Amino acid sequence: MEERARSCLLRFRHRLEQDIKPSYLMDHMVSDGVLSVDEEERIRTQDQAVALLELLLKKDNRAYISFYNALVKEAYDDLASLLQDDLPQMLPDAHNKSSDGSVAYVQAVLSEGGVPQRPVVFVNRPELVNRVREKLYRLLKEPGWVTVFGMAGSGKSVLAAEAVRDHRLIEECFPGGIHWLSIGQLDKPDLLVKIQSLCFRLEQSLDSQSLHRPSNSLDEAKERLRFLMLRRYPRALLILDDIWDSTVLKAFDIHCRILLTTRNRSLADSVSGAKYEVEVESGLDENKGLEILAKYTELNRLPEEARSIVRECKGSPLVVSLIGALLKEKPNRWDYYLRQLQQKQFKRIRKSSSYDYDALDQAMAASIEVLPDEHRELYKDLTVLEKDIKVPAKVLSVLWDLEAEEVEDILEEFVNKSLLFVDNHNKPYQYYLHDLQLDFLVEQNRTQLESLHTKVVHQYQQHYRDGPPTSGDEECLYWIRFLTYHMAKYFSFLAHHVSVGVCIKAQIMGPAHLINDYVEYGPILDKEVMRSQFQEFLSLNGHQLEQRPFPDVVQLALSEPRSSEVYRQALLQAQDRTSAG
Ligand code: ADP
């Protein structure tokens, strides 16, 4: 449902709940086909008005319109007039892209499915977009795979998001919605968590209140997803962004409709069903490259270096955008950036690679180089972030031991230079690195990873020496999810085994305790079995820690098998609690 319509329902929800008699309204909605008989029956068993509104909020524009019409038919004129101004535009010319209603509809579907927005500076690649759309239309009648492949930074993700930004395509091919999942390089436990989160998201959008227990294994998660897609989201499209590994793809081999982006063309060989592919050229043609530079620098006449820059990086959308962003800040550095690109001073450590990353690296190096020395050091600290993970400024203020305002200024600088991205949909703003930037940082700082992770752990310990963050703190969620990760990296690099046994304790007692414990007991807690049990427990339950209010970790852990170390530790904690009153 459009944002405007949903907001209107929320605004008047209370009044509607008080004044409507749902049974007649529901009859109209059922005959409009926006409410199923099952849903109607379920609503009848509850506080009907509340349940109807609750369900309506999860539905689409058509449901809003049908509800409005039902109000009119049942002579609730004053209530109908409340909703009237925000009626979504389902005009007969809705297919016309220029109509506001159509744009809003597409926007609503895409944001509901987590599809990223266009980059601020965007150039259209109509031929490529059409090629992808044409393949997507082949999924109209039967499930299958569309692989969008190409080198790093060639614009695959932007293209995938753009291809589905089309009213007709959504309506005709994917009325079940478009659901975006960022994958990246991950291991099996991470994959399990991803699929669980996806199922969780899909279930949340339905009316079901019941939360399933998380699946225990990848196979189980796969079955759950299969069931959801088949029964509840038929004809939906899943977009899997940045796949590296065929085992990941196999987990999604569930006879549904999938668009995937990858650097590896042959990935889909390992799965069954109809397959189509689109190659993304690594570079933009010269005019498009120049268009990006012109948009960033707001120049009508570009200097002659512009053409050389685009040629030098072979039109890589990523590099041109990075340099565009740099030039926006320092408009007189055309010659300098061109020379930076030409001097291939940076040697890649990665050996086997079918892609030419050189230009990318140089552009990245160039953009980091313009930072003042002390900021370059701070940027280096970001090497320890996980892919696709967004952090609030507060976490960085702990990491850097700087005042909030100073951190704000530094982050702003990074964002302006395209070195960092910001998600400003919600407050507090969240920051994240582009995958390639992170790859680049990790590669550059490979020998220092251990000390960088150590720094996080120490800064954390220092900052929270008087007590851990509380659940109301914006940064708390990050620490709950990732402190163990930083510690694991830190310790595994020290060639110790990671005992996650103490990590669970962190979630119960506050991680400051844990760090002390860890330093003290680390060497004797290194039993492999125990480690894997805790890791598994965390990966299975990790997503629940994203909920608010936070679940009781001890209770979660007590549902583990009695023979497990997780259970034993939780029992000890529970006994401690009881004896402490
Ligand atoms: P890939 O998925 O191939 O690694 P992305 O789609 O993430 O690449 O694009 C990398 C960067 O290149 C984006 O962050 C953006 O800055 C730039 N970019 C890609 N496509 C476009 C485009 N059509 N217009 C403008 N910039 C683009």
Side-chain angles (χ1 to χ4, degrees), residues 483-503:
L483 185 65
T484 49
Y485 162 74
H486 294 302
M487 294 186 63
K489 292 280 179 192
Y490 164 32
F491 283 104
S492 61
F493 277 104
L494 285 177
H496 285 247
H497 291 285
V498 179
S499 161
V500 190
V502 277
C503 297

Side-chain angles (χ1 to χ4, degrees), residues 96-128:
N96 176 357
K97 269 203 219 155
S98 64
S99 98
D100 286 355
S102 176
V103 172
Y105 166 79
V106 171
Q107 189 50 40
V109 173
L110 298 190
S111 55
E112 187 138 338
V115 178
Q117 297 175 342
R118 277 183 187 156
V120 188
V121 166
F122 170 79
V123 294
N124 211 346
R125 302 165 91 178
E127 206 187 309
L128 265 179

Side-chain angles (χ1 to χ4, degrees), residues 119 121-125 151-159 241 261 263 284 292 296 317-318 321 421 434 436:
V121 166
F122 170 79
V123 294
N124 211 346
R125 302 165 91 178
M151 74 167 264
S154 57
K156 301 181 290 294
S157 313
V158 172
L159 178 66
D241 186 35
T261 75
R263 301 179 192 182
L284 298 164
I292 291 189
Y296 268 111
L318 177 75
S321 302
F421 293 84
H434 188 280
L436 287 166

Side-chain angles (χ1 to χ4, degrees), residues 134-169:
E134 192 255 318
K135 302 293 182 210
L136 288 173
Y137 267 105
R138 311 263 187 111
L139 305 183
L140 177 72
K141 296 232 167 68
E142 56 164 3
W145 309 79
V146 175
T147 301
V148 170
F149 68 95
M151 74 167 264
S154 57
K156 301 181 290 294
S157 313
V158 172
L159 178 66
E162 192 57 24
V164 293
R165 200 165 286 129
D166 184 77
H167 194 138
R168 227 183 91 203
L169 179 76

Side-chain angles (χ1 to χ4, degrees), residues 155-200:
K156 301 181 290 294
S157 313
V158 172
L159 178 66
E162 192 57 24
V164 293
R165 200 165 286 129
D166 184 77
H167 194 138
R168 227 183 91 203
L169 179 76
I170 297 176
E171 236 173 31
E172 290 178 11
C173 286
F174 310 114
I178 315 265
H179 305 278
W180 183 280
L181 205 61
S182 302
I183 304 282
Q185 280 177 304
L186 35 72
D187 54 16
K188 271 196 180 162
D190 290 340
L191 176 60
L192 178 55
V193 172
K194 288 260 182 209
I195 301 182
Q196 280 167 349
S197 316
L198 176 65
C199 292
F200 185 69

